Every structure is written in C-alpha cells, then in structure tokens.
Amino acid sequence: MPDSATHTGIASAPKLTAAMWKAGTLAISRGTGMAAQMAVQIAVGALAGPAGIGALQLHMAWGSLLGELVGAGEPTRALRDHSLNSQQGSGLKRGLLKASKTILLYSAALGTFVLFLVLSGLAETLGLSTGSLLTSIIVSAPLFALTRLFAETLKALDHALWAVSLENSIMPLVILGTCALIALEVVAVSQALILASAVGGLLLGLCLMIISVRQRWGSTRANGAAHTGDGSDKNNPKPISVRGESLHFWLNGLLNIAFLQLPFLIMPWLVSVEEVGRYAVAHKLLNVITTLLILLSAVYGPKFARAAATADSAGLTTLLGTTQRISLAIFVPAAAIMLILAEPLATLFSLDEGSLLPLLLLLCGGQLINAATGLAGVLLNMSGAAHLEFRLLVVSWLATTTLAVPLGLYAGATGIAGAIAGGIALRNVISYVAVRRHIKSFGAETP
C-alpha cells in the first residue's frame, strides 16, 4: 500500500503541474484582456471625457445583464452538453442552432417590449435614455448571449484558451482602434461612434467564435465516422437531464450577477458617494484575482460534466480537490502581495491613509473561503444539481442583504464589506457541503 500511494502521488504531480500551466496561460490571456480594457478606459476618457467612460460602462453593464436575461441559461447548458457529445458533429450543430433560436426569440421579445416603452412614452417617464446608448444596449444583448453560447461551446471542446482570448480581447482592441482613428482626426469623436465600436467589437468576436466552432463541426464529424462508421459515437455518455434544469441555469446566471453587483445596488441608499468610491477601489483590486479563479471553470466545467455523466464519484472528488489546490495557489500569494501594498495602492487611488486595508482584509477573508472550496458551484451546475445551486444562491443572497443593511448603516463601507465577505463565505461553505453530499450520491448509484 505505501508503494501504491507513493506511485499515485508521483503520478499526480505532473498532472497538477500541467493544470497549473494551463491555468497560467488562461490567466495571461485574461490579464492581457484586462490590460486592454484598462487602456480603453484611459483612451476613451482622454477623447470623450467622463461622459464617454460613463456611457461605455453603462453599455457594458446593462448589455451583459440583459444578455444573461435573453440567454435563458443556454450557455451553461452548452458547456455541459457539448463536453459530452464533442465527437458528434451533427449533434453539436443541432444543439447550437436550437440554442441560438431560443436566444433570438427572447431577444425579439425584449426588443418589442423596449419599442413599446419608447412609443408609449413610458421610457421617458422611467428616465430611460432613448438615444444611442439604449440602442447599443438592446443590440448588444443578443450579441452578448450568443458570444457566451459559442465561447462556452469552445471551452467544452477543450479550446478554453482561444475562447477566453476572443471573449476578453477583441472588443477592447476594436474600441482602441476606433480611438486611434479619432486621435488621428480621421473621424470625429462622438459617444455614438464609441458605442458603435463596442457593438462592432462584440460582433467581430462572435463571428470569429462561429468560424472556430464551424471548423470543429467538420473535425467532429470525421471523428464520429471513424468511431462508428455512420457519423455517431455510441460510446459517448449522455448528459444528465433534470426537470426544470434550463430554468435553474437561467436563474443561477442572473443571481450570480446580482450577487456580484449587490454592494453597488444597496450602497447608494446607505452610505456617501465617497464610501462607494472607497469600496469600489477594493472591489476592483480584488476582482483582478477572483477573475483568475473564475477562469478555472473554463477548464474544469467540461471535466466535471464528463465525470458526472459516467457517475464517477472518485473522479469528481479528485477534480474538485485539484481546483481547490490551484485556487489557493493562485489566491494566497496574490492576496498577500495586495495586502502588503495596501497603503501605496490607497495613495495611488487618492484614498485616505489606512482606509483601504480594512476593506481588503475583510474581502480577502471571504474570498479565501471561496478559493479553499474550489469550483463547488460549477460542479453542481455541471452534474445535474443546478436546482441545489439555485437554492444556495437564494439563501446566501438573502442572508447577505439582511446583514449588509444594518452593518452599512452602522459602519459604512467597512460594514458592507464585512457583510459581503460573510455572504461569500456562507455561500461557498454550504455549496461545498452540498457538493460533497451530491458526489456521494453518485457513488451510491454506482453498482
């Protein structure tokens, strides 16, 4: 037994190293995209002022939120299902066409509703802009949803690096190109032009993803024919299908966005603008690290789905443990460096001395629990337990909101940071407990 254990430990080391390398390349890709996005903020600010930055930020925030709304949970389903039928080119094509039709149908309903608001005059009553900003948001919503659909499909087909690169880099590069034309006085600066470039960048990225997936159709069709002689692979496991799953995929996506934006939804009612700004700096700094953790789902989401489809409880346990180790390896040193540099960072962002560190300490505490529990929520979504993830999200969202209001009134941004950290910790602890029990159910079902 000791020899076997030693051999297992030696064999797992190269796998962990390979996983860390893949995570590192994804982090570099995402980091490049974030640098490009930061450059966009600087360029747009220099050319169009704060109004230009604000319009672009509203376009991104509302476009992505409405994109999640019209997406109807189809991107999450694509990541799960296409991880299992990657050898079936015809099945891949049918699934994507069906999902795309669903997204376009919901987008048409959204567009009709907005048109009704504009024509009836309710848009102005509600304080909604009816100009280029509203137009760009409505046009972008289906593009955001379709981009996520094809990006998740590429991740399911083990092209995570390419998907992440297209998702995060194409739009900012197109906007920067437009800013260069404005700076060279080839075109005149306008808010409408900057928003149009954002829409154009989103469309270009989507087109490149569609081309990449279409190339994959041909190769999967050939592989399927090689396996069975008739273009299908009978050995592929079937996706786990649970009643109401699409609705839970949909609601989970919306609740995740709501949980992420929760402090900014309630802070204007509880604290001063200065406190909002102080919290926003801490949030954005920590978001640099947590975004890297989210990228792991691009690699391990498909692996979770494949292991769950074959009721491989031991494989699921191993995969979850790997995500825990990688997450901690990324988070702990990065958070330590950020905490050490808290005072210089406060000075850089024009904050008072000692005002940033308490927020970072609280938020890092919550995110440490997030890293330590790995991708528990992703595993639930990929293994037929999206309904459990939904219930946990509702409980943690309500608990966090209940805590945030009194703590925000009592201690301002620091109190809200404590509530958010507590909510993050609660969400991840109960998700981890739930996922461990869920994994055991696979073992019980296995003869």
Side-chain angles (χ1 to χ4, degrees):
M1 287 297 292
D3 291 341
S4 175
T6 302
H7 177 74
T8 302
I10 293 172
S12 64
K15 292 183 180 180
L16 182 59
T17 301
M20 288 294 294
W21 171 257
K22 181 172 278 191
T25 57
L26 285 171
I28 292 172
S29 175
R30 174 58 178 160
T32 302
M34 292 178 70
Q37 291 169 19
M38 187 65 70
V40 164
Q41 298 290 320
I42 296 172
V44 171
L47 295 170
I53 296 176
L56 186 60
Q57 185 63 43
L58 287 172
H59 163 86
M60 295 296 295
W62 281 102
S64 59
L65 179 61
L66 292 178
E68 194 68 44
L69 180 65
V70 302
E74 293 295 341
T76 304
R77 178 177 290 281
L79 177 64
R80 197 276 308 277
D81 288 0
H82 298 319
S83 300
L84 303 176
N85 61 9
S86 60
Q87 297 299 328
Q88 300 177 11
S90 58
L92 176 65
K93 184 176 181 178
R94 284 196 302 271
L96 283 172
L97 287 175
K98 182 180 178 181
S100 298
K101 289 178 181 178
T102 299
I103 290 172
L104 293 175
L105 178 63
Y106 280 102
S107 299
L110 174 65
T112 302
F113 176 69
V114 172
L115 183 62
F116 166 75
L117 291 179
V118 172
L119 294 179
S120 65
L122 289 174
E124 292 185 8
T125 303
L126 295 172
L128 298 176
S129 169
T130 57
S132 58
L133 178 58
L134 181 61
T135 302
S136 72
I137 290 172
I138 298 305
V139 172
S140 291
L143 295 179
F144 270 110
L146 290 169
T147 295
R148 275 209 64 214
L149 173 66
F150 282 88
E152 297 301 281
T153 299
L154 284 172
K155 294 169 188 176
L157 301 176
D158 293 327
H159 293 289
L161 180 60
W162 182 236
V164 169
S165 299
L166 293 177
E167 266 188 305
N168 294 288
S169 300
I170 299 300
M171 183 196 293
L173 289 176
V174 171
I175 298 174
L176 286 174
T178 302
C179 289
L181 293 176
I182 294 173
L184 294 172
E185 298 183 351
V186 176
V187 292
V189 61
S190 70
Q191 186 182 104
L193 178 61
I194 292 172
L195 293 173
S197 68
V199 175
L202 194 58
L203 180 60
L204 176 59
L206 174 60
C207 290
L208 291 174
M209 288 183 188
I210 293 174
I211 291 171
S212 298
V213 173
R214 285 179 63 86
Q215 290 174 344
R216 184 66 180 173
W217 287 348
S219 63
T220 53
R221 190 179 298 112
N223 288 338
H227 278 94
T228 66
D230 62 359
S232 64
D233 188 349
K234 297 177 181 178
N235 295 320
N236 271 357
K238 297 295 183 183
I240 298 173
S241 182
V242 180
R243 186 178 180 182
E245 190 173 48
S246 294
L247 177 61
H248 288 118
F249 284 157
W250 192 2
L251 294 175
N252 288 349
L254 290 171
L255 279 174
N256 272 308
I257 290 182
F259 196 92
L260 179 66
Q261 300 295 337
L262 177 60
F264 301 106
L265 294 176
I266 62 175
M267 288 182 79
W269 304 93
L270 304 174
V271 300
S272 66
V273 176
E274 290 75 13
E275 289 284 275
V276 175
R278 187 162 68 95
Y279 184 93
V281 170
H283 175 82
K284 287 183 179 296
L285 287 172
L286 199 59
N287 193 46
V288 174
I289 307 175
T290 55
T291 299
L292 302 181
L293 302 184
I294 294 172
L295 291 177
L296 291 177
S297 63
V299 177
Y300 284 92
K303 295 183 179 182
F304 288 150
R306 292 166 193 149
T310 56
D312 183 4
S313 58
L316 286 170
T317 300
T318 300
L319 288 170
L320 180 62
T322 301
T323 65
Q324 291 175 262
R325 291 190 292 273
I326 294 175
S327 296
L328 285 171
I330 293 173
F331 180 81
V332 172
I337 293 172
M338 185 174 293
L339 292 173
I340 292 171
L341 297 177
E343 289 308 316
L345 288 170
T347 302
L348 178 65
F349 288 97
S350 303
L351 299 180
D352 294 337
E353 184 178 351
S355 63
L356 182 60
L357 182 59
L359 298 180
L360 288 177
L361 280 171
L362 289 168
L363 294 175
C364 281
Q367 292 296 344
L368 179 61
I369 304 299
N370 179 25
T373 53
L375 299 180
V378 176
L379 196 157
L380 289 173
N381 272 323
M382 293 293 104
S383 60
H387 60 289
L388 292 178
E389 174 70 357
F390 169 70
R391 293 170 189 170
L392 300 176
L393 279 169
V394 170
V395 169
S396 57
W397 197 90
L398 290 175
T400 304
T401 305
T402 303
L403 281 173
V405 173
L407 288 178
L409 290 171
Y410 176 74
T414 304
I416 292 176
I420 296 298
I424 292 171
L426 173 66
R427 172 185 172 181
N428 285 280
V429 167
I430 59 178
S431 289
Y432 186 75
V433 172
V435 85
R436 295 292 297 185
R437 292 180 177 177
H438 183 59
I439 289 174
K440 288 181 181 179
S441 72
F442 282 97
E445 294 168 3
T446 304

